[in-house]
């Protein structure tokens, strides 16, 4: 049974952890086509696969060198749908590839074509 509040106690809302993810991550390998400009401003197009996806983007492994905050295009090879993304994380190089965290410029929970996405993948309408 909860204890009654004294008149001097205030109820404050719980703070949301700033590091908390906006949507659940799902381990899913999706064939994609990534294009844009490399860090040295050369055009590139590279076939790749996702490592992890969520409603707001993905973790991918890429040979092309890109910079944080750079925009690239990711096309889902199965649906041929393409979205603009921003590079939000550049990991260390391993085996000639770098793991990149990318986020969609506009959230797109249906982009990955998951039949039963987690409940937190619902994006409120503007």
């Amino acid at each position: 049974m909860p204890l009654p509040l004294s008149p001097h106690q205030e109820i404050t809302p719980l703070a949301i952890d700033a590091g908390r993810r906006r949507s659940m991550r799902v381990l899913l390998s999706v064939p994609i086509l990534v294009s844009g400009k490399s860090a040295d401003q050369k055009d590139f197009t590279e076939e790749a696969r996702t490592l992890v996806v969520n409603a707001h983007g993905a973790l991918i492994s890429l040979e092309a060198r890109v910079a944080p905050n750079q925009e690239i295009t990711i096309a889902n090879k199965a649906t041929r749908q393409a979205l603009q993304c921003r590079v939000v994380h550049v990991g260390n190089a391993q085996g000639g590839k770098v793991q990149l965290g990318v986020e969609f410029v506009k959230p797109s929970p249906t982009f990955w074509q998951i039949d039963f996405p987690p409940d937190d993948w619902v994006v409120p309408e503007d």
Side-chain angles (χ1 to χ4, degrees):
M1 182 165 123
L3 296 173
L5 295 175
S6 72
H8 302 302
Q9 290 176 314
E10 292 182 30
I11 298 175
T12 57
L14 292 174
I16 295 177
D17 178 9
R20 185 176 171 195
R21 304 240 176 236
R22 291 177 286 177
S23 61
M24 183 183 291
R25 295 177 287 182
V26 176
L27 296 172
L28 185 66
S29 179
V30 177
I32 56 175
L33 190 62
V34 183
S35 59
K37 291 199 180 283
S38 62
D40 59 1
Q41 296 302 306
K42 293 182 181 175
D43 290 333
F44 76 89
T45 299
E46 183 178 333
E47 289 190 16
R49 296 187 81 82
T50 61
L51 304 170
V52 177
V53 300
N54 69 20
H56 296 88
L59 179 66
I60 64 175
S61 186
L62 203 62
E63 286 182 17
R65 298 295 182 243
V66 296
N69 296 317
Q70 179 180 337
E71 287 199 6
I72 59 175
T73 301
I74 291 183
N76 183 327
K77 289 180 73 174
T79 64
R80 299 181 190 254
Q81 180 184 6
L83 289 178
Q84 286 296 112
C85 299
R86 181 175 31 263
V87 177
V88 294
H89 170 75
V90 178
N92 295 326
Q94 185 175 4
K97 293 188 175 189
V98 173
Q99 286 189 0
L100 301 175
V102 297
E103 77 175 353
F104 301 135
V105 171
K106 182 177 178 183
S108 183
T110 60
F111 185 74
W112 301 119
Q113 300 292 301
I114 296 176
D115 288 336
F116 303 104
D119 291 337
D120 67 353
W121 280 36
V122 175
V123 177
E125 292 183 21
D126 292 332

